[in-house]
Amino acid sequence: MASREEALKELKEKLAYTPKPVWDQVKEEEKEAIERLAEDYRRFLSVAKTERECVEAMVALLKRHEFSERPSARFYQVFRGKSLAVFVAGKKPPYYGLRLIATHIDSPRLDLKLHPLYEDLDLAFFKTHYYGGIKKYHWVARPLALHGVVIKPDGSRIRIVIGEDPKDPVLTVCDLLPHLSRKVQGDKKLSEAIPGEKLNLLVGGLPLVGSAEDKERVKLSILKLLHEKYGLTEEDFVSAELEAVPAGPALEVGLDRAFIGGYGQDDRICAFAALAAVLEIREPIYSTLVLFLDKEEIGSDGNTGAKSRFLEKLVYDYLKIWGVSPQGDTVLETFLRTRAVSGDVTAGMDPHYMEVHEKLNDARMGYGVVLTKYTGHGGKYMANDAHAEYMAWLRRVFSEAGVVYQAASMGKVDEGGGGTVAKYLALYGMDIVDLGPPLLGMHSPFEVAHKADLYMTYKAYRAFLSAGD
Ligand code: MN
Ligand code: MN
């Protein structure tokens, strides 16, 4: 009897695929490395809350690791302050193909409108227009910080961060009290309960000294304050990019501190992991290009997003740096031979919402980086569907480097879906697949990642960038 059980167990071990948590598969010293990376990440996430701030924080790290802005073996290029490209020269010239990771550094938020400031009932507000896929009820009744820039007509730049220093005030969108919200909110669909036009930030309540007949004294008082502190006039909002984001730092979550919770982990967790990986890459076999892109959350349109042809220009210029005159089809050939990873997050399974998840094929928190062969929706529509050959090659790369990965898709068939930049880069003919950690509460103001998945994402990116054929 015992021998029969043993035989079954042996057969199962040999043939069946049994996912295991990262924590069961790493040694003590790797657990320490997981904690160290998570702490660096937590600090990064706490300060990099806009695409511009991400670029700034990343450039500071690149400089500290002897990356230069001038073309050299390890250099970077900033595009319009919102996108970043990092190159590491390989042993082979770029026309043999690149090892490319593309991540995005924009996240859902509330952007100020062009004419944001108004007063009603002696209260001053900023009007907003949300950016990306938000659930509007997430954005009420919480402290919000204002991050961004104002550019004056003379080109001078005013950087604004209000609400992060403990001494700073914060802004907020007030919700309606339950006593009065039964009909106006409670009887409505969740998606309609809070209209976008009500997502206005409370910014003031002190009228300027004057008489009660003088109109808009609170608004004027706010304008005076903005002028005194930043030199702004009301028209300056026209040339500003001010984003309301959740205030406060990223935090450890759980009594055992297994998780990092914070705003903007889609997709700054992949951006951070890719940066941590590329900082360590020296003389890889293939030349490396890591991209940190903007505008993914609104469809990758716009000249700093993945659909922009500045990507072609980057590669064109890179070939020239190598002394290659990129004539005819050299640029296209470089793209065709490139192996790429779209570094983006996916949904981790939440046991409370198994009605949308498919247990066998969705991602588990703490089970490692997720290899997502295809995205899209409704019959893989709009999907990048990576080829089996490419999946097989990555399996080998991961196995050789000790990367704990899980292969997963997002949600039940026909339950919903989504896309990443993968399909836009696939246009160039390169092999590309999605690779990143799972999150809980994705696209919420407080997304949750497992520290072990962050670490395996970094490890997977490092292995991918260093890999040969
Ligand atoms: Mn994303
Ligand atoms: Mn997203």
Side-chain angles (χ1 to χ4, degrees):
M1 193 63 193
S3 66
R4 192 179 158 183
E5 271 170 26
E6 270 167 35
L8 282 174
K9 197 178 160 211
E10 202 176 293
L11 201 61
K12 194 180 170 194
E13 266 166 27
K14 196 174 153 194
L15 300 180
Y17 173 69
T18 315
K20 290 188 212 92
V22 172
W23 221 241
D24 285 350
Q25 300 184 66
V26 290
K27 297 199 179 82
E28 269 322 300
E29 59 259 33
E30 204 155 31
K31 287 183 182 173
E32 283 163 25
I34 289 173
E35 289 296 341
R36 278 198 303 275
L37 189 73
E39 185 49 26
D40 288 347
Y41 170 56
R42 199 181 64 74
R43 270 191 248 124
F44 167 81
L45 197 60
S46 300
V47 299
K49 293 199 179 182
T50 68
E51 50 284 338
R52 289 177 195 265
E53 288 171 359
C54 270
V55 167
E56 283 168 25
M58 290 179 152
V59 165
L61 280 167
L62 286 161
K63 281 183 178 160
R64 220 178 297 157
H65 286 78
E66 283 138 26
F67 277 78
S68 141
E69 210 173 349
R70 294 205 175 156
S72 58
R74 289 150 62 82
F75 80 103
Y76 64 89
Q77 215 175 318
V78 175
F79 187 62
R80 299 191 194 278
K82 295 181 178 179
S83 290
L84 173 68
V86 180
F87 293 92
V88 178
K91 294 193 178 87
K92 296 183 191 233
Y95 49 81
Y96 280 86
L98 303 164
R99 293 282 180 268
L100 186 157
I101 301 177
T103 66
H104 69 91
I105 50 176
D106 61 316
S107 294
R109 68 208 181 218
L110 304 181
D111 284 342
L112 292 204
K113 287 193 182 187
L114 297 174
H115 304 289
L117 184 59
Y118 72 100
E119 176 181 334
D120 201 355
L121 300 177
D122 295 314
L123 303 170
F125 297 91
F126 278 157
K127 282 178 177 282
T128 70
H129 192 145
Y130 64 97
Y131 173 99
I134 64 164
K135 289 161 100 174
K136 297 186 188 84
Y137 72 86
H138 280 155
W139 292 81
V140 297
R142 63 161 46 244
L144 296 169
L146 196 65
H147 288 235
V149 293
V150 183
I151 313 293
K152 296 285 245 178
D154 66 3
S156 60
R157 167 187 307 262
I158 301 145
R159 200 169 176 270
I160 291 178
V161 179
I162 303 167
E164 299 295 351
D165 190 290
K167 288 183 210 135
D168 280 357
V170 296
L171 309 180
T172 194
V173 178
C174 297
D175 197 6
L176 188 58
L177 65 169
H179 314 64
L180 295 178
S181 70
R182 191 172 57 82
K183 276 186 279 184
V184 78
Q185 289 181 334
D187 292 349
K188 285 184 181 158
K189 275 169 44 179
L190 191 63
S191 58
E192 289 162 5
I194 295 169
E197 280 294 346
K198 291 191 199 287
L199 291 177
N200 298 322
L201 303 156
L202 181 63
V203 296
L206 299 177
L208 263 191
V209 178
S211 76
E213 288 86 67
D214 296 327
K215 282 188 179 152
E216 300 197 324
R217 285 189 294 138
V218 180
K219 175 182 168 180
L220 203 56
S221 162
I222 293 295
L223 282 175
K224 187 165 171 271
L225 188 152
L226 289 171
H227 189 258
E228 281 164 6
K229 191 154 184 210
Y230 302 104
L232 301 187
T233 66
E234 195 170 10
E235 195 182 351
D236 287 332
F237 285 111
V238 168
S239 53
E241 285 173 2
L242 294 168
E243 309 176 8
V245 298
L251 300 165
E252 290 182 296
V253 174
L255 297 178
D256 62 358
R257 302 168 186 265
F259 309 95
I260 296 289
Y263 163 71
Q265 302 207 60
D266 175 7
D267 182 34
R268 290 167 194 149
I269 190 168
C270 294
F272 177 83
L275 186 75
V278 79
L279 290 177
E280 290 178 8
I281 299 292
R282 280 176 196 277
E283 291 185 69
I285 299 164
Y286 288 90
S287 295
T288 291
L289 169 55
V290 180
L291 295 169
F292 304 92
L293 299 167
D294 181 28
K295 301 281 187 282
E296 195 275 344
E297 294 297 354
I298 54 168
S300 292
D301 295 301
N303 63 5
T304 47
K307 286 185 195 167
S308 164
R309 296 189 69 179
F310 90 93
L311 296 180
E312 289 166 51
K313 175 76 172 134
L314 277 177
V315 170
Y316 188 96
D317 288 346
Y318 194 52
L319 287 163
K320 283 200 284 189
I321 291 164
W322 278 76
V324 182
S325 133
Q327 288 162 341
D329 61 357
T330 322
V331 176
L332 197 55
E333 194 66 39
T334 302
F335 276 124
L336 279 172
R337 291 176 176 177
T338 288
R339 291 185 188 177
V341 154
S342 158
D344 212 339
V345 295
T346 188
M349 270 190 284
D350 182 330
H352 302 98
Y353 295 99
M354 290 314 289
E355 60 270 42
V356 302
H357 288 301
E358 200 265 271
K359 210 165 193 172
L360 192 60
N361 283 284
D362 278 15
R364 291 182 71 149
M365 299 299 288
Y367 276 62
V369 65
V370 185
L371 189 56
T372 304
K373 186 175 185 291
Y374 54 86
T375 51
H377 63 271
K380 299 193 179 181
Y381 205 76
M382 310 282 283
N384 171 64
D385 196 346
H387 302 294
E389 290 85 347
Y390 194 48
M391 296 290 279
W393 176 71
L394 279 165
R395 278 177 62 194
R396 178 155 59 80
V397 169
F398 294 162
S399 145
E400 283 168 7
V403 173
V404 179
Y405 84 97
Q406 47 182 329
S409 40
M410 192 171 78
K412 280 183 176 158
V413 175
D414 288 338
E415 198 61 56
T420 66
V421 299
K423 60 177 178 281
Y424 307 120
L425 291 169
L427 284 173
Y428 294 108
M430 64 185 75
D431 265 320
I432 186 161
V433 68
D434 280 287
L435 186 68
L439 297 182
L440 293 175
M442 194 174 124
H443 275 220
S444 80
F446 195 73
E447 301 171 303
V448 172
H450 197 293
K451 288 177 180 176
D453 298 331
L454 162 67
Y455 180 81
M456 284 303 159
T457 302
Y458 144 79
K459 206 172 167 183
Y461 291 169
R462 199 181 55 182
F464 164 77
L465 294 177
S466 324
D469 292 305

